[in-house]
Amino acid sequence: MKNLLIIGFVWPEPNSTAAGKRMLQIIDLFKKENYTITFVSTSKKNIHSFQLENLGIKSFEIELNNENFDKLLLQINPSIVLFDRYLTEEQFGWRVDEVTPNTLKILDTEDLHFLRNARQTAIKKNKDGFKPFLINDITLREIASIYRCDLTLIISKFEMNLLIKEFNINESLLFYLPFLLNNTEVNKLSEYPTFSNRLHFTTIGNFRHEPNYNSVLYLKKNIWTIIKNKLPAAEMHIYGAYASEKVYQLQNVKDRFFIKGWIEDSKNAYINYKVCLAPIQFGAGLKGKLLEAMQFGTPSVTTTIGAEAMQSDLNWNGFIENDAEKFAEKAVELYVNENTWLEAQKNGINIINHCFSKEKYSSILLLEIENLVKELKKHRQNNFIGLMLLHHKMKSTKYLSKWIEEKNKKL
């Protein structure tokens, strides 16, 4: 049976987050293989949540620490369970092991949370390197989750290398799966406004994600002053879902620095703008905003962390600069130099086609899953650390959950 159960940390919001777009890419991959898909989450749907029913996908709201999930699991009888981030594996992985023990367990990390945390800590402590902060509570939990699953999807080659070289995780437990895009022809760019028909700078990001707020704050404090003085007619437009009051307080009409907030179609945050600015100071994974900029023909300026693992050995869709003053200079150069801008556009298309091929990575993943299903028992026996972590003495999450479950029955 080709039944896929996805346990979402949140309901997909493709118009708000890159994670939401990635989830729909994964769903599309399995749908085309004729999987029956069910999506469940403990979170509440909101106006931004994607209508999964439009894709023929059943969806249910579930509760933590509730045996009703076990009944639902039996009813669905999934051949594959996909955990959206390590937190859902912690909460429901043990139930899958008990109720449907032969189900293939796949973890989608989205990005490595412990890496993002380590980099954020380094920034807060004003340290240059993140490695002294790499071992933390999140690291232990996330890597334990990787070992308990049969396969983990990793979005970044940098993160693949980190897990293999720094933590000695066997490659058989990991699978590199970047964003999945259709190949794009250079002439596709002719569908969008030309250099002379575009104005202003743009950026976008979900403000519940701390690296996005930090990036906008850094942009305003360290970069925009330089740009606005050199380009007195240019404006900075900032889009993103869940903008709080502290985000809107960054707006300054006099300085031409505008907080635009949520936008229904992110395409409109790019196609009429000349340059995308993303001075990302910390984070992990791949940056969806920069990939979308490439798709819509908008060159970008970002940092080393922003462009991390996104270009292979290809030229960037603009410039990569970590120094604030140089960052501003390159932004101005892209804004005023049409030849540089056009070359950057072409670089973006090249990156999409060589690094994010939907056809290539989808077929390899499906073959990997097929082989795992056939050899699941042997695969699990070879994962001794995973077997050890699944031993009952190490299942603190399970027993805490069962205690809460019993406690709730008495209320």
Side-chain angles (χ1 to χ4, degrees):
M1 291 185 299
K2 299 176 77 170
N3 289 340
L4 169 66
L5 172 63
I6 302 174
I7 306 177
F9 182 65
V10 294
W11 296 95
E13 296 183 24
N15 291 333
S16 303
T17 69
K21 287 182 173 66
R22 174 172 171 81
M23 179 55 70
L24 287 190
Q25 290 170 2
I26 291 174
I27 287 173
D28 180 68
L29 186 158
F30 283 99
K31 268 188 67 65
K32 288 182 176 175
E33 287 299 304
N34 298 314
Y35 275 81
T36 299
I37 303 174
T38 306
F39 193 103
V40 300
S41 179
T42 59
S43 66
K44 298 296 181 183
K45 294 180 181 179
N46 61 48
I47 58 172
H48 302 316
S49 301
F50 185 82
Q51 299 298 311
L52 292 168
E53 294 75 14
N54 294 340
L55 298 177
I57 296 172
K58 292 182 180 179
S59 62
F60 302 94
E61 289 188 7
I62 56 175
E63 293 182 7
L64 288 172
N65 314 311
N66 192 313
E67 63 184 4
N68 285 334
F69 176 79
D70 300 352
K71 298 174 185 176
L72 180 62
L73 199 55
L74 276 172
Q75 179 184 331
I76 297 170
N77 191 23
S79 50
I80 301 174
V81 169
L82 175 72
F83 300 103
D84 173 25
R85 285 162 264 208
Y86 78 93
L87 293 161
T88 61
E89 188 281 330
E90 285 185 336
Q91 294 160 347
F92 295 100
W94 65 269
R95 291 184 180 272
V96 174
D97 291 327
E98 290 194 349
V99 180
T100 56
N102 295 320
T103 295
L104 181 71
K105 297 181 297 178
I106 300 177
L107 171 65
D108 182 26
T109 57
E110 297 289 354
D111 60 37
L112 290 179
H113 295 61
F114 73 81
L115 174 59
R116 188 199 318 158
N117 180 72
R119 285 172 165 165
Q120 184 172 0
T121 302
I123 289 288
K124 287 181 177 179
K125 294 182 178 292
N126 200 27
K127 302 292 184 180
D128 290 334
F130 67 88
K131 286 197 174 182
F133 310 102
L134 199 54
I135 307 300
N136 53 65
D137 179 61
I138 298 175
T139 313
L140 300 177
R141 291 171 61 189
E142 194 163 20
I143 290 182
S145 184
I146 290 172
Y147 274 113
R148 286 192 296 265
C149 288
D150 301 308
L151 191 68
T152 295
L153 307 180
I154 305 297
I155 201 170
S156 157
K157 285 186 177 179
F158 178 88
E159 295 179 3
M160 282 284 287
N161 291 332
L162 183 72
L163 291 170
I164 294 166
K165 294 179 180 178
E166 292 290 331
F167 296 96
N168 300 312
I169 295 179
N170 194 296
E171 289 185 57
S172 67
L173 298 176
L174 308 174
F175 187 88
Y176 171 61
L177 190 75
F179 288 115
L180 304 173
L181 302 178
N182 293 318
N183 284 2
T184 303
E185 300 293 335
V186 173
N187 59 18
K188 174 77 174 176
L189 298 174
S190 64
E191 297 178 11
Y192 305 128
T194 61
F195 176 84
S196 59
N197 289 324
R198 296 188 184 218
L199 288 172
H200 309 315
F201 294 88
T202 185
T203 196
I204 189 170
N206 166 25
F207 286 106
R208 283 181 176 172
H209 191 56
E210 184 61 26
N212 288 332
Y213 171 74
N214 176 272
S215 176
V216 172
L217 185 64
Y218 184 87
L219 175 63
K220 181 178 181 180
K221 288 185 174 181
N222 300 284
I223 296 171
W224 183 246
T225 300
I226 302 171
I227 295 174
K228 75 180 180 68
N229 289 338
K230 293 188 176 184
L231 300 171
E235 299 176 0
M236 183 71 228
H237 292 186
I238 294 140
Y239 296 91
Y242 304 108
S244 63
E245 184 58 34
K246 75 172 184 178
V247 175
Y248 280 107
Q249 286 177 356
L250 296 177
Q251 175 161 295
N252 189 316
V253 176
K254 182 181 177 183
D255 287 343
R256 310 185 302 281
F257 194 90
F258 298 96
I259 307 296
K260 296 289 187 177
W262 185 75
I263 187 168
E264 186 172 355
D265 187 348
S266 59
K267 175 181 179 180
N268 294 321
Y270 295 100
I271 61 171
N272 293 308
Y273 292 90
K274 271 191 177 174
V275 181
C276 174
L277 302 181
I280 298 166
Q281 300 301 294
F282 63 89
L286 302 179
K287 310 306 178 289
K289 63 172 67 64
L290 296 172
L291 195 54
E292 282 197 308
M294 296 177 199
Q295 287 179 280
F296 299 124
T298 308
S300 64
V301 187
T302 189
T303 58
T304 302
I305 288 179
E308 182 178 86
M310 289 192 68
Q311 67 183 115
S312 187
D313 57 352
L314 303 173
N315 292 327
W316 185 247
N317 175 48
F319 296 103
I320 301 169
E321 289 290 351
N322 296 319
D323 177 78
E325 194 166 320
K326 290 180 179 178
F327 189 107
E329 289 174 2
K330 294 300 184 182
V332 171
E333 182 179 342
L334 267 179
Y335 197 87
V336 301
N337 191 318
E338 184 172 4
N339 288 334
T340 302
W341 190 87
L342 289 171
E343 189 64 28
Q345 263 196 338
K346 293 176 183 177
N347 291 343
I349 297 299
N350 202 25
I351 289 171
I352 289 172
N353 292 339
H354 285 83
C355 302
F356 301 97
S357 171
K358 179 179 181 179
E359 182 179 355
K360 173 185 174 182
Y361 291 108
S362 296
S363 59
I364 298 173
L365 174 61
L366 291 168
L367 181 61
E368 178 77 6
I369 289 172
E370 183 181 335
N371 292 334
L372 277 177
V373 169
K374 290 177 182 177
E375 301 287 340
L376 188 56
K377 184 176 180 180
K378 181 180 178 181
H379 178 75
R380 287 178 174 175
Q381 287 175 338
N382 290 335
N383 178 17
F384 178 77
I385 294 177
L387 292 173
M388 183 174 63
L389 288 169
L390 288 168
H391 189 266
H392 71 90
K393 289 183 180 178
M394 305 188 78
K395 285 191 173 180
S396 58
T397 306
K398 168 184 172 179
Y399 292 111
L400 175 60
S401 178
K402 291 185 77 67
W403 178 81
I404 295 172
E405 184 180 309
E406 291 301 316
K407 177 172 171 286
N408 289 341
K409 288 179 182 178
K410 297 175 183 178
L411 296 178

